[in-house]
Amino acid sequence: MKKIVLVFAFVLTGITASGQEGLKFGVQAGLPFGDFNDTVGVVVGADFGHMWALNETFDLGIMVGYIHGFPEKFDNQDLLIDFPSVQFLPISGSIRIWPSNSVSFGVNAGQAIGLNDGNDGGFYFRPQLGILMSAQTEINFSYTSINVDDANWSTVTFGIMYTLQLKRPY
């Protein structure tokens, strides 16, 4: 087990040493609308990835995340309806464009793997607007779309992202 951790740490250090932007960790929360509005009440998620600065204006990266939709519960006098949770594991490529030093816009696109029963997942598309609060902290607003069989998972979220920038020792 120690060897696996050491190999992972070595690979992670090598990846971050070559990237100017660094590792990204983020969380978001939001509301669904459209096809899942009646069955899901609140959505939370987390993201992890790495971004590379191609130049001062463009960043390119990879992201993996987790999305959890908490179910709605309807209770009237005669009937209790309890919907299941909805969960996805999105894996995507990411691009960011920086028109200024503090504002970015971009998109994550890829595949969202469905994690709950009966959820096959689908194409994942997440445009977002980011605003830097400090050198490592960004808030973002995003729309998420996942094409799930005959329905479309649509959410609007607010999130915070932290960038871990590792410096080279030389």
Side-chain angles (χ1 to χ4, degrees), residues 1-167:
M1 184 66 174
K2 289 181 184 179
K3 289 181 183 180
I4 293 172
V5 172
L6 279 173
V7 169
F8 180 75
F10 179 73
V11 168
L12 196 59
T13 302
I15 288 172
T16 58
S18 66
Q20 294 177 353
E21 288 298 314
L23 290 174
K24 301 266 187 185
F25 305 89
V27 294
Q28 73 263 358
L31 299 171
F33 62 93
D35 295 336
F36 287 85
N37 189 40
D38 293 334
T39 59
V40 174
V42 176
V43 175
V44 296
D47 293 309
F48 173 75
H50 194 280
M51 297 293 285
W52 291 273
L54 300 179
N55 57 37
E56 291 181 9
T57 308
F58 295 99
D59 294 345
L60 190 62
I62 54 173
M63 300 295 282
V64 65
Y66 175 74
I67 300 171
H68 187 97
F70 290 94
E72 285 280 5
K73 293 184 181 184
F74 295 100
D75 187 14
N76 66 25
Q77 295 175 350
D78 301 326
L79 183 64
L80 173 65
I81 301 174
D82 193 9
F83 294 104
S85 296
V86 180
Q87 301 146 353
F88 296 99
L89 178 72
I91 302 168
S92 62
S94 181
I95 188 167
R96 296 290 179 274
I97 299 170
W98 293 87
S100 74
N101 289 336
S102 60
V103 175
S104 72
F105 61 92
V107 66
N108 293 1
Q111 182 69 25
I113 300 166
L115 299 177
N116 57 300
D117 289 337
N119 180 358
D120 294 331
F123 178 71
Y124 169 75
F125 181 73
R126 183 178 172 207
Q128 53 190 295
L129 171 69
I131 301 168
L132 282 181
M133 303 305 288
S134 72
Q136 289 87 19
T137 307
E138 167 189 317
I139 61 171
N140 59 53
F141 304 93
S142 65
Y143 162 80
T144 301
S145 174
I146 301 171
N147 294 327
V148 183
D149 295 329
D150 297 334
N152 187 28
W153 172 269
S154 299
T155 62
V156 175
T157 59
F158 171 77
I160 187 163
M161 182 77 66
Y162 181 77
T163 303
L164 178 62
Q165 298 171 331
L166 298 178
K167 305 253 187 226

